[in-house]
Amino acid sequence: MKKSFRFPQLIGTVLLILSAITIYAQKGDAMAKDIRSIKALIEKETKAFFEIDRETWSDCWAHVPYAFWSFADTTDVNSFSGWEAINMGFADYFTSSKPSTAEIEREWLDVKVFGNGAYARFNQKVNDQDISRDKQAEVRVLEKVDGKWKIILVGVIASKNPVIVN
């Protein structure tokens, strides 16, 4: 038995394919927008930190008990667990430090979005006329809170010779 060509089936198939392509493109656009927002937030948080703008810096964070901040270099290791500890841990810094005009060089390695969560990894070099700093390998974990990305984890490893394999 020979099957006949049916125009309505062809139109339905074409419309289904076009719908799938449109949905896929919209998801890609949303992902790209999230990645731009995440990078902008990280840049804003870093800038606020060096400019001693505690209000803006604080606004970049999710104020949650599972927030975490850590730093390690060849001379020191520090960490704070929970937003309250992070906020208190930087109280002296924000009251006694002077704003810096440091230049930040950042090399983005990965930014991945997983629903309302995201992971960002990058190398950063802080160039400041007063302080010589080593290159840092940094990680941020973020969470979307009320439609806005917020930082929930900062991890910084500073090293004279970071080993990075891509």
Side-chain angles (χ1 to χ4, degrees), residues 22-23 37 62 79 107 152 161-162:
T22 301
I23 290 168
S37 296
S79 68
E107 173 193 6
I152 59 172
N161 298 307

Side-chain angles (χ1 to χ4, degrees), residues 21-93:
I21 291 169
T22 301
I23 290 168
Y24 183 77
Q26 288 172 345
K27 284 185 179 181
D29 289 346
M31 180 78 67
K33 182 181 177 190
D34 277 335
I35 289 171
R36 285 191 305 273
S37 296
I38 288 164
K39 288 179 176 181
L41 177 70
I42 291 169
E43 290 168 3
K44 178 181 175 182
E45 184 263 350
T46 302
K47 185 175 188 245
F49 183 82
F50 283 104
E51 291 179 353
I52 316 302
D53 179 353
R54 187 175 193 168
E55 184 177 332
T56 300
W57 174 80
S58 173
D59 187 54
C60 294
W61 281 83
H63 298 186
V64 293
Y66 51 88
F68 186 76
W69 178 92
S70 65
F71 176 88
D73 69 4
T74 57
T75 62
D76 195 16
V77 175
N78 279 307
S79 68
F80 300 108
S81 293
W83 169 249
E84 291 303 321
I86 294 166
N87 193 35
M88 288 174 52
F90 284 100
D92 285 344
Y93 171 80

Side-chain angles (χ1 to χ4, degrees), residues 8-25:
Q9 288 175 332
L10 176 63
I11 295 296
T13 302
V14 168
L15 289 175
L16 186 61
I17 291 169
L18 289 175
S19 294
I21 291 169
T22 301
I23 290 168
Y24 183 77

